């Protein structure tokens, strides 16, 4: 038949598509006494071309050393514990701030930063707006200084070359340390040197958008102006409810299951669709424009962290789309009577239960 891919229709759907699921927390990752990092980029999770991620844990006081990323911005969500970040901007400003559960940070590509756990240690999810990004190939302070001749460093910092004899020769990556002192409640006048846009956003402190089947908190560039290339969200779907059929016209979607049990289905056109089930610590990736829906198949709330590789949030819901077209047209499209279409409910984003 003209325009139809007969070869692809001859095969079972699932075998035609790569998996959209990866069990990130089941990996060992890079582990030291100071912390650990589990990575998911295109090497581990081939479909995730536009978004890479890391699950990182830091022991109390441990420091993810001063570093930057050459090819990607960093968007992070705190799951548990507390940490302090420093981030330096090319305009000479530097922000230092403490983060707790539900807080988000965004560092533009190339901006150098550090992360130090406070006294309770911490666990956070890092995401990057390039699936080729590797956390294990970042630009670290000790790596560069350790691979620069001491005479050059001596000139750069105006100290004797012998100063650098005991500095690390290789990247330390995560280093043990003592938890830092509390930030002052009132900084001395004139000591603030932060830029015009903060790198911190308290996502869980926001009012959620509520639906019949759950609720959603979104942080895009609208709410968090520095986050020009990424949007994040947390979504709760009640037992039996579903995030309805939809797609994102200009962004890929990355998901991390915080709690609960999910079944997600991705529609890839040409008769192909794939369903996978997810438990906490699993991640999903949905390519830009691919149709999808997510069901809560557990007995408790399903809690998801969502990340998109665009500063603006946009979605197209199938129910809204059909409700906006003439019933006559939709009915003729399916070859059914108009009153069948008239019974379709309009979109509700998270429906049922
Ligand atoms: Mn980083
Ligand atoms: Mn989606």
């Amino acid at each position: 038949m003209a325009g139809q891919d007969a070869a692809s229709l001859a095969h079972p759907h699932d075998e035609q598509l790569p998996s959209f699921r990866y069990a990130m927390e089941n990996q060992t990752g890079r582990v030291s006494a100071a912390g650990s990092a589990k990575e998911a980029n295109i090497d581990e999770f081939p479909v995730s071309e536009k978004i890479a991620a890391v699950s990182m844990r830091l022991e109390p006081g441990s420091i993810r050393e001063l570093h930057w990323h050459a090819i990607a911005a960093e968007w992070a969500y705190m799951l548990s514990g507390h940490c302090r970040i420093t981030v330096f901007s090319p305009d000479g400003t530097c922000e230092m701030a403490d983060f707790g559960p539900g807080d988000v940070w965004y560092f533009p590509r190339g901006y150098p930063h550090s992360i130090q756990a406070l006294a309770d240690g911490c666990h956070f999810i890092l995401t990057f707006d390039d699936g080729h990004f590797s956390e294990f190939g970042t630009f670290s302070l000790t790596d560069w200084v350790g691979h620069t001749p001491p005479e050059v460093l001596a000139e750069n910092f105006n100290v004797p070359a012998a100063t650098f004899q005991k500095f690390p020769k290789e990247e330390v990556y995560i280093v043990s340390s003592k938890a830092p002192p509390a930030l002052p409640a009132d900084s001395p006048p004139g000591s603030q040197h932060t830029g015009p846009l903060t790198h911190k956003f308290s996502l869980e402190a926001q009012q959620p958008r509520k639906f019949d089947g759950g609720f959603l908190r979104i942080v895009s560039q609208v709410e968090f102006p520095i986050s020009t290339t990424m949007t994040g969200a947390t979504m709760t779907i009640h037992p039996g409810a579903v995030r309805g059929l939809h797609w994102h016209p200009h962004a890929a979607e990355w998901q991390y299951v915080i709690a609960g049990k999910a079944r997600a289905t991705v529609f890839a056109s040409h008769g192909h669709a794939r369903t996978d089930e997810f438990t906490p610590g699993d991640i999903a990736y949905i390519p830009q424009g691919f149709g999808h829906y997510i069901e809560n198949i557990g007995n408790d709330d399903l809690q998801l962290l969502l990340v998109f590789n665009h500063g603006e949030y946009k979605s197209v819901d199938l129910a809204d789309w059909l409700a906006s077209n003439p019933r006559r047209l939709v009915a003729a499209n399916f070859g059914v009577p108009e009153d069948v279409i008239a019974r379709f409910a309009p979109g509700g984003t998270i429906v049922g239960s």
Side-chain angles (χ1 to χ4, degrees):
M1 193 186 293
Q4 193 169 41
D5 185 354
S8 67
L9 289 176
H11 294 88
H13 296 162
D14 286 6
E15 291 178 16
Q16 291 283 312
L17 294 177
S19 179
F20 298 101
R21 170 185 172 269
Y22 179 68
M24 184 162 73
E25 295 291 5
N26 281 358
Q27 314 304 311
T28 304
R30 178 170 171 172
V31 183
S32 74
S36 68
K38 300 171 181 180
E39 180 170 88
N41 63 21
I42 55 157
D43 292 333
E44 295 88 8
F45 188 28
V47 295
S48 65
E49 287 182 9
K50 304 291 186 186
I51 300 173
V54 173
S55 173
M56 184 171 285
R57 290 168 174 82
L58 297 177
E59 295 298 319
S62 288
I63 301 166
R64 169 68 179 96
E65 74 163 299
L66 290 150
H67 67 280
W68 74 96
H69 309 293
I71 65 164
E74 173 174 320
W75 187 101
Y77 182 83
M78 284 295 290
L79 286 172
S80 63
H82 293 81
C83 74
R84 178 171 303 169
I85 63 93
T86 66
V87 54
F88 182 69
S89 303
D91 67 3
T93 59
C94 188
E95 184 170 16
M96 178 161 66
D98 287 353
F99 288 72
D103 291 340
V104 166
W105 69 71
Y106 177 86
F107 303 147
R109 182 170 57 197
Y111 282 36
H113 51 275
S114 70
I115 308 161
Q116 182 171 23
L118 301 187
D120 55 349
C122 57
H123 178 205
F124 48 89
I125 300 297
L126 301 169
T127 63
F128 303 89
D129 58 358
D130 188 326
H132 298 259
F133 167 86
S134 174
E135 169 70 6
F136 308 139
T138 59
F139 292 73
S140 292
L141 177 64
T142 52
D143 191 13
W144 199 10
V145 168
H147 291 89
T148 302
E151 311 75 54
V152 174
L153 296 169
E155 197 165 23
N156 195 78
F157 294 109
N158 195 24
V159 293
T163 305
F164 299 99
Q165 271 171 4
K166 293 193 171 159
F167 276 47
K169 297 291 180 278
E170 303 295 339
E171 180 189 37
V172 299
Y173 188 60
I174 298 175
V175 60
S176 295
S177 186
K178 278 190 286 194
L183 292 174
D186 281 315
S187 301
S191 69
Q192 295 288 347
H193 193 43
T194 58
L197 299 180
T198 181
H199 300 78
K200 177 179 175 179
F201 186 84
S202 294
L203 180 56
E204 297 311 317
Q206 311 303 312
Q207 287 292 331
R209 306 179 192 188
K210 290 182 178 158
F211 307 96
D212 287 348
F215 53 91
L216 180 63
R217 290 182 172 89
I218 293 177
V219 51
S220 70
Q221 190 180 0
V222 174
E223 298 83 12
F224 188 27
I226 202 167
S227 184
T228 55
T229 66
M230 300 180 83
T231 290
T234 52
M235 181 162 66
T236 295
I237 304 175
H238 298 317
V242 58
R243 170 64 177 101
L245 280 70
H246 70 285
W247 69 94
H248 305 283
H250 64 14
E253 176 170 354
W254 183 97
Q255 305 180 348
Y256 176 92
V257 180
I258 297 172
K261 202 170 173 203
R263 183 163 62 207
T265 301
V266 176
F267 167 61
S269 82
H270 287 282
H272 297 296
R274 177 165 177 136
T275 300
D276 285 297
E277 292 189 2
F278 298 76
T279 55
D282 289 348
I283 62 174
Y285 182 87
I286 299 145
Q288 178 180 320
F290 280 37
H292 55 284
Y293 55 93
I294 306 153
E295 301 161 272
N296 181 348
I297 55 169
N299 298 318
D300 302 306
D301 276 353
L302 170 64
Q303 292 177 47
L304 300 172
L305 174 65
L306 314 177
V307 178
F308 305 87
N309 67 328
H310 202 291
E312 181 184 32
Y313 178 80
K314 278 188 181 176
S315 76
V316 180
D317 281 50
L318 187 64
D320 290 333
W321 179 34
L322 296 190
S324 297
N325 272 274
R327 281 179 194 154
R328 169 195 53 75
L329 173 66
V330 178
N333 197 136
F334 285 119
V336 299
E338 268 187 60
D339 64 317
V340 173
I341 303 303
R343 292 195 286 272
F344 281 19
T349 305
I350 307 171
V351 292
S353 119

